Amino acid sequence: MYRMADVDVLVLQLCEIFRIEENNPSITVFFFHEMLDAENRGLAGRVSDLERKILEQGDELVCLKATLAEALRRITLLEGSRLHQQSPSPAVPLRNGLSKESFRLRPSSYSPSHNADNNRVRPIVMDSPRKIYNSSLPQRKAVHYQSTGSLHSDSQSSSSVSPIPSPSPSTPVTSIKKPPLMAQNSVSSSNSSNSLLHKRWNSTGDFNQSPAMSPTGMQSKFSNKSFLNLYTKSNQFPAPHFKHGTKEATYNEEDHSLSMYLRSRLIKLYAPSDIADSYELTKVNTAPHQRLKLDWVYGYRGKDCRSNLYFLPTGEMVYFVASVVVLYNVEDQYQRHYLGHTDEVKSLAIHPNKMFVATGQCGGHDRRDSRPHVRIWNSVSLHTQIVIGMNDFQVSVCCLSFSRADGGSLLVAVDDVSDHTISVWDWQKGENGFKITDTKCSVDTIISAEFHPLDRNVIVTSGKSHIAFWSLDINGTLFKRVGIFESRDKPKYVTCIAFLQTGETISGDSNGNLAIWGRGTNTIWKLIKNVHDGAIFSICVLKDGSIVTGGGKDGRIVEFDSNLHKLGSDNQIEGHFGGIRVISEGWGSQLLVGTTKNCILCGSTQIGFQPIILGHTDELWGLASHPNLPQFATAGYDKVLQLWDSMSHSILWSKDIGEQAQSVAFSPDGTYVLVGCCSGRWMIFHSQTRDLLCRNNDGNEPIQVIQFSPNGEMVALGSRDNNIYIYQVTEGGLKYSRIGRCSGHTSYITALDWGVDNTTLRSNSADYEIICWNTSTCRPIVQTIYLRDAEWATNSCTVTFNTIGIWPENAEGIDANSCDRSHNQDILATGDDLGRVKLYNYPVNQPKSLCHTCAGHTSHVTAVKFLHQDTRLVSIGGRDTAVLQWTLS
């Protein structure tokens, strides 16, 4: 509240102002103009803001109208193409792009330093200066290939994306995306006004993420510098039905080009001149007269599986890796293979008669025919006796055991579901066995399940924090008694169980202790503490009653006599072999030892142990064949580089390189081995001395592929940062000088091929892009139509005219990860996401191409390579860590 004195002062001031205005009218006019100017300035600012907003909204309306018009035009073209499918006129293909979420096993990875490069406007590679599909010139003839089935000699493929039903027959839901750089009807550069508008739309932040960087997998509507793209993908909506494969391939006889879709990306490839005029899509490539036969399996699965190494009376030891059960005779140096499984084998049990073998597998995530089940087969003839539980198990069969007291008429199996269901089978009854009973075993992990050797119908299981004794009554009901640890320290895991010759149960735990459980009871009779430093992974009771234990952490083998008295000194396994996973009695006094690093050792506590099988322990990506010798090199995420001899089936040397490896390549003379790492580094080793000669670095993303030029004077390195680095090789392969960097791909590099001229290079990326390069300038070759007759030293690129037929007709979810052409250029081998290796006649330039299919891997086949003289082929699996060697016959 104002005081009265203040009010009086204010009144006096106002009166003084009015008195001045009466005496000086100019002052009144001055005040009036000042107020008017201030009001005009405020009004002009508001009008300017309104005009700017109207202009922005007008630009956005123009963009939306253009987008809607383009959508209506495309829908009209789709309807017209359906009406004219019966006529000889060519269908108008859509400019569809790629969904990055479709790469299930090969996720894109971009370094921050290259994001700006990916977003800037890149030169668009054109195959011809004029557009074909928008041309008004009449077409002479166009063949539209439609197929009703597949001629590939494999099972029906499954889809990794769920197709969405079309709203109507005339308007199918399809994605409209960026066309490939090799497409002839590439989108032209936007004008300046569109560029400004594009920047304004990108400022919202909703459209400027690349598919690899977006957490939701959403692809920008404007990532291709065009407003003609309508499709975005979000996790909230079902995936669209992508065009993928050769079913709708078309051939244009005017420019002799073939068009097909891979992940809805339009791929345009030019036929070589010698077949361009006579090429027909309806022809069928026959399968080669040569076939693949599994010759040798390198590796063993001891990293995460137990009780999977046994010795048979045939003189063979039996174990498994991937989906192959291997029977290996060490003395005679030969292998036999049981190939009945369709996915990875997880458990193994030997019948008391030592002739029958039971193996359990897991269910496949990508194949409809891969369901968890148990196969019982004859180890002599490899004939499958019976398949049980095809529709009973849900996840995988993690434990198996035959009954012993009754001669092996029963089989116990544990399904690795959340509640770990245990089931008992009369496996000889009926065509598919008879399930006597099943019940929930434990919500905790189950590690082992074994029938008691003396007490009929008694089963012992162990796992996380428990051991349980089960009784099977005459009515087929299982009763459970949990082992009581009383006042003793309860272990976190009971890791293994075995049985003494007197019938007591002996168990090893994660504390390194041995517990002997009284026969017929669930209480501990005797406890031996601190036998090992860490968990005891295996207990083996020998024929003479003595006991051998193996430590998973300390790698020691400890012996006890039949009275549980410790014998002699401990045997230590070398650390690079890993911890002890399983110990089994071999021939004579020898023991077989499987380790946690996928190795198998053979020997005794008196003479020591020697490795007979070495393998990789982590995901495998690098494979290279020696150019002059029957040798090959492998490397993976376990940081190990290994050189193998395919004739003696042995490892020549193994080296820990200290970094995860992504790719491997031999120099043309075989003297040096180049290894590309996941850190962006790449190293050069001498192939004989395995010495590290030098180390280089290109970016901080994995080096995906390495390829030497035919004369060995240049080498190209394809990186996950979307770039190709070109180096000149001098001083006999010891000095590498960088020439430049080839930039232009929209995803990481997957394959490289050099031309026989040593200057031309072609590359594939993970989004099915193909670009040809001039390596002297590191620039893309725009007029690729002139390279239709180019000769290539190799054919490792999967997207070429000569590899059209390796893509199945409806290949949704199936990617041909790798391919390799034989040295005599007669056949082509491929490896796909479903673990299959296929053999084709080369060139595979027909959409319908027959092949021979072989199974053995349970993970994506990351690489296939022909060895010296084309008599053998090697394939490597990604996560199954298996190295399979095939012979061609």
Side-chain angles (χ1 to χ4, degrees):
M1 297 295 293
Y2 288 103
R3 292 176 302 176
M4 292 302 298
D6 295 332
V7 173
D8 293 340
V9 172
L10 180 61
V11 170
L12 291 175
Q13 289 177 351
L14 290 174
C15 292
E16 185 67 18
I17 290 172
F18 288 136
R19 186 164 49 255
I20 293 173
E21 289 179 351
E22 288 178 356
N23 298 329
N24 300 288
S26 61
I27 295 179
T28 303
V29 174
F30 172 79
F31 277 106
F32 175 78
H33 284 292
E34 284 291 324
M35 294 174 61
L36 185 61
D37 290 341
E39 184 66 23
N40 287 338
R41 287 193 298 269
L43 181 60
R46 290 194 296 271
V47 171
S48 177
D49 291 340
L50 288 175
E51 289 177 347
R52 181 174 55 82
K53 291 180 179 179
I54 290 173
L55 289 175
E56 290 180 355
Q57 292 176 356
D59 291 341
E60 294 177 357
L61 287 175
V62 170
C63 172
L64 291 175
K65 288 179 180 180
T67 304
L68 180 59
E70 178 66 12
L72 293 175
R73 185 184 68 82
R74 290 171 179 263
I75 291 174
T76 303
L77 291 176
L78 278 175
E79 293 175 345
S81 65
R82 286 181 173 271
L83 293 176
H84 293 286
Q85 278 185 357
Q86 304 298 329
S87 64
S89 60
V92 180
L94 293 179
R95 299 176 183 176
N96 290 341
L98 175 71
S99 172
K100 299 288 181 175
E101 278 191 354
S102 62
F103 293 106
R104 173 181 55 83
L105 296 174
R106 299 180 299 183
S108 298
S109 175
Y110 298 89
S111 62
S113 61
H114 296 283
N115 289 337
D117 295 338
N118 295 335
N119 291 330
R120 70 172 185 265
V121 179
R122 297 176 291 103
I124 298 178
V125 180
M126 302 286 290
D127 287 338
S128 176
R130 60 188 181 88
K131 296 181 179 180
I132 296 299
Y133 292 104
N134 293 332
S135 174
S136 59
L137 297 176
Q139 303 281 336
R140 286 189 303 166
K141 182 182 179 182
V143 179
H144 186 77
Y145 169 64
Q146 291 285 352
S147 175
T148 58
S150 175
L151 293 180
H152 291 272
S153 59
D154 51 8
S155 59
Q156 182 179 2
S157 62
S158 61
S159 174
S160 64
V161 293
S162 302
I164 182 172
S166 300
S168 66
S170 60
T171 58
V173 176
T174 181
S175 60
I176 303 174
K177 293 208 170 182
K178 178 180 174 181
L181 292 181
M182 294 295 294
Q184 207 167 23
N185 53 346
S186 300
V187 180
S188 60
S189 302
S190 304
N191 56 28
S192 58
S193 61
N194 284 342
S195 299
L196 294 175
L197 183 57
H198 174 247
K199 292 179 182 178
R200 180 159 57 252
W201 278 69
N202 268 349
S203 66
T204 62
D206 294 332
F207 308 106
N208 59 357
Q209 288 184 350
S210 65
M213 300 299 294
S214 174
T216 61
M218 179 180 291
Q219 183 170 352
S220 170
K221 293 180 181 180
F222 306 104
S223 61
N224 58 354
K225 310 296 186 293
S226 171
F227 299 113
L228 307 181
N229 198 319
L230 300 177
Y231 172 72
T232 59
K233 181 173 181 179
S234 174
N235 292 335
Q236 303 176 10
F237 304 102
H241 182 77
F242 294 107
K243 289 185 178 181
H244 192 53
T246 59
K247 184 176 182 179
E248 298 183 359
T250 58
Y251 185 67
N252 190 315
E253 292 196 357
E254 181 177 344
D255 62 348
H256 305 299
S257 64
L258 183 141
S259 300
M260 66 176 184
Y261 289 93
L262 294 178
R263 299 286 184 193
S264 294
R265 173 185 283 275
L266 178 63
I267 308 295
K268 192 166 186 178
L269 305 167
Y270 290 96
S273 300
D274 56 345
I275 65 170
D277 293 329
S278 59
Y279 183 80
E280 294 182 7
L281 286 174
T282 55
K283 289 184 179 179
V284 177
N285 266 4
T286 60
H289 66 276
Q290 295 176 297
R291 290 179 176 270
L292 291 176
K293 181 181 179 182
L294 186 58
D295 175 45
W296 204 265
V297 176
Y298 302 92
Y300 156 75
R301 183 164 182 171
K303 181 180 180 180
D304 56 355
C305 290
R306 295 170 171 83
S307 302
N308 60 351
L309 177 62
Y310 297 96
F311 184 74
L312 299 176
T314 57
E316 301 164 314
M317 58 181 183
V318 57
Y319 57 94
F320 57 77
V321 59
S323 67
V324 183
V325 185
V326 183
L327 296 93
Y328 179 25
N329 188 308
V330 179
E331 291 185 354
D332 297 336
Q333 281 297 303
Y334 72 83
Q335 282 186 356
R336 296 188 299 143
H337 311 102
Y338 177 73
L339 302 173
H341 286 282
T342 57
D343 215 289
E344 58 184 3
V345 183
K346 298 295 291 290
S347 54
L348 186 150
I350 306 297
H351 194 274
N353 65 11
K354 303 294 183 179
M355 180 179 293
F356 295 129
V357 179
T359 46
Q361 74 166 62
C362 70
H365 299 286
D366 303 311
R367 282 181 278 183
R368 299 173 184 174
D369 61 340
S370 296
R371 289 178 288 181
H373 62 272
V374 177
R375 307 181 77 90
I376 301 175
W377 45 280
N378 190 306
S379 62
V380 176
S381 63
L382 301 183
H383 172 71
T384 302
Q385 300 293 123
I386 195 170
V387 178
I388 65 175
M390 186 64 76
N391 297 313
D392 294 276
F393 300 108
Q394 299 180 29
V395 178
S396 68
V397 183
C398 60
C399 299
L400 282 175
S401 177
F402 282 102
S403 58
R404 306 184 195 179
D406 61 354
S409 61
L410 301 181
L411 179 73
V412 62
V414 177
D415 189 0
D416 198 17
V417 292
S418 58
D419 51 12
H420 295 88
T421 303
I422 182 173
S423 57
V424 180
W425 298 77
D426 186 347
W427 64 273
Q428 294 173 318
K429 186 176 181 180
E431 295 182 356
N432 298 312
F434 174 73
K435 183 167 64 175
I436 299 174
T437 184
D438 64 349
T439 185
K440 296 179 179 179
C441 184
S442 173
V443 294
D444 294 323
T445 303
I446 300 297
I447 292 177
S448 59
E450 297 285 344
F451 267 102
H452 197 283
L454 302 178
D455 296 336
R456 180 183 173 89
N457 299 335
V458 173
I459 303 170
V460 183
T461 62
S462 68
K464 185 177 181 180
S465 302
H466 80 279
I467 183 172
F469 302 86
W470 302 77
S471 298
L472 180 67
D473 66 7
I474 58 175
N475 297 321
T477 305
L478 280 171
F479 296 94
K480 177 181 179 182
R481 291 183 301 164
V482 179
I484 300 173
F485 290 90
E486 297 177 349
S487 60
R488 300 176 178 88
D489 294 335
K490 188 175 182 179
K492 188 175 182 179
Y493 282 91
V494 179
T495 50
C496 57
I497 56 177
F499 301 95
L500 301 179
Q501 290 184 340
T502 54
E504 289 82 7
T505 302
I506 180 171
S507 65
D509 59 37
S510 55
N511 296 331
N513 303 330
L514 287 176
I516 294 87
W517 304 79
R519 182 175 177 180
T521 69
N522 61 340
T523 57
I524 296 177
W525 168 58
K526 185 177 182 180
L527 182 67
I528 306 175
K529 290 189 175 182
N530 302 322
V531 177
H532 288 273
D533 298 330
I536 302 174
F537 277 177
S538 182
I539 302 174
C540 179
V541 179
L542 305 180
K543 296 177 182 178
D544 59 1
S546 60
I547 302 163
V548 181
T549 63
K553 181 180 179 180
D554 58 13
R556 291 189 297 115
I557 296 177
V558 181
E559 281 189 296
F560 296 87
D561 62 14
S562 57
N563 296 320
L564 297 175
H565 296 147
K566 187 176 179 181
L567 299 175
S569 59
D570 302 341
N571 284 76
Q572 182 73 42
I573 302 299
E574 296 181 27
H576 60 269
F577 293 135
I580 297 173
R581 175 66 71 189
V582 58
I583 299 177
S584 179
E585 194 169 11
W587 52 91
S589 61
Q590 291 184 327
L591 297 176
L592 300 177
V593 178
T595 72
T596 56
K597 289 190 176 181
N598 295 346
C599 302
I600 296 180
L601 312 178
C602 180
S604 65
T605 56
Q606 290 77 27
I607 63 175
F609 294 86
Q610 298 297 324
I612 55 177
I613 289 180
L614 297 176
H616 286 277
T617 60
D618 208 340
E619 199 162 343
L620 269 179
W621 283 92
L623 172 65
S625 61
H626 197 285
N628 305 317
L629 300 173
Q631 300 174 359
F632 61 93
T634 58
Y637 290 173
D638 57 359
K639 306 178 183 180
V640 174
L641 171 66
Q642 298 188 136
L643 182 65
W644 309 75
D645 184 84
S646 64
M647 303 300 292
S648 62
H649 308 121
S650 61
I651 288 183
L652 299 178
W653 54 260
S654 179
K655 185 178 182 66
D656 188 346
I657 62 176
E659 292 194 33
Q660 291 184 333
Q662 185 75 35
S663 55
V664 182
F666 277 98
S667 60
D669 59 359
T671 305
Y672 306 107
V673 181
L674 272 66
V675 181
C677 301
C678 294
S679 61
R681 295 187 183 93
W682 52 284
M683 311 175 191
I684 298 95
F685 297 89
H686 197 282
S687 62
Q688 300 299 322
T689 64
R690 57 181 162 177
D691 294 332
L692 176 61
L693 302 178
C694 63
R695 188 193 307 258
N696 297 280
N697 191 84
D698 283 301
N700 54 9
E701 296 286 343
I703 303 298
Q704 293 287 130
V705 59
I706 303 175
Q707 193 74 270
F708 275 92
S709 61
N711 59 9
E713 296 179 359
M714 299 178 72
V715 64
L717 299 96
S719 173
R720 192 177 280 266
D721 63 9
N722 306 353
N723 296 317
I724 303 171
Y725 299 92
I726 308 297
Y727 280 81
Q728 185 177 11
V729 183
T730 56
E731 298 183 8
L734 294 176
K735 184 178 180 181
Y736 294 80
S737 304
R738 182 165 156 179
I739 296 176
R741 182 183 67 180
C742 301
S743 300
H745 274 291
T746 57
S747 187
Y748 63 88
I749 313 302
T750 58
L752 296 171
D753 287 318
W754 281 90
V756 294
D757 58 0
N758 296 291
T759 60
T760 307
L761 183 73
R762 70 179 176 188
S763 57
N764 281 171
S765 61
D767 56 357
Y768 310 103
E769 197 173 34
I770 178 171
I771 300 180
C772 296
W773 308 88
N774 185 332
T775 56
S776 59
T777 61
C778 293
R779 297 290 184 182
I781 300 175
V782 178
Q783 302 295 339
T784 56
I785 189 172
Y786 299 117
L787 295 177
R788 66 194 320 159
D789 296 323
E791 294 185 27
W792 303 97
T794 59
N795 195 334
S796 59
C797 290
T798 58
V799 183
T800 66
F801 187 85
N802 288 332
T803 58
I804 292 169
I806 71 174
W807 299 96
E809 295 176 353
N810 293 303
E812 293 185 4
I814 303 175
D815 282 333
N817 296 324
S818 60
C819 71
D820 189 44
R821 184 185 66 191
S822 62
H823 299 87
N824 58 16
Q825 303 188 21
D826 288 340
I827 52 179
L828 182 86
T830 66
D832 62 25
D833 276 344
L834 298 186
R836 298 176 299 193
V837 178
K838 297 181 180 180
L839 202 64
Y840 296 87
N841 267 326
Y842 186 84
V844 199
N845 53 18
Q846 295 293 146
K848 276 194 174 183
S849 296
L850 302 180
C851 65
H852 299 306
T853 304
C854 297
H857 291 286
T858 58
S859 179
H860 47 286
V861 181
T862 53
V864 292
K865 290 292 182 182
F866 284 96
L867 298 186
H868 180 59
Q869 296 181 348
D870 295 332
T871 57
R872 290 174 176 84
L873 176 77
V874 175
S875 62
I876 58 173
R879 296 189 181 96
D880 63 23
T881 70
V883 180
L884 304 186
Q885 180 175 305
W886 312 80
T887 58
L888 280 76
S889 58

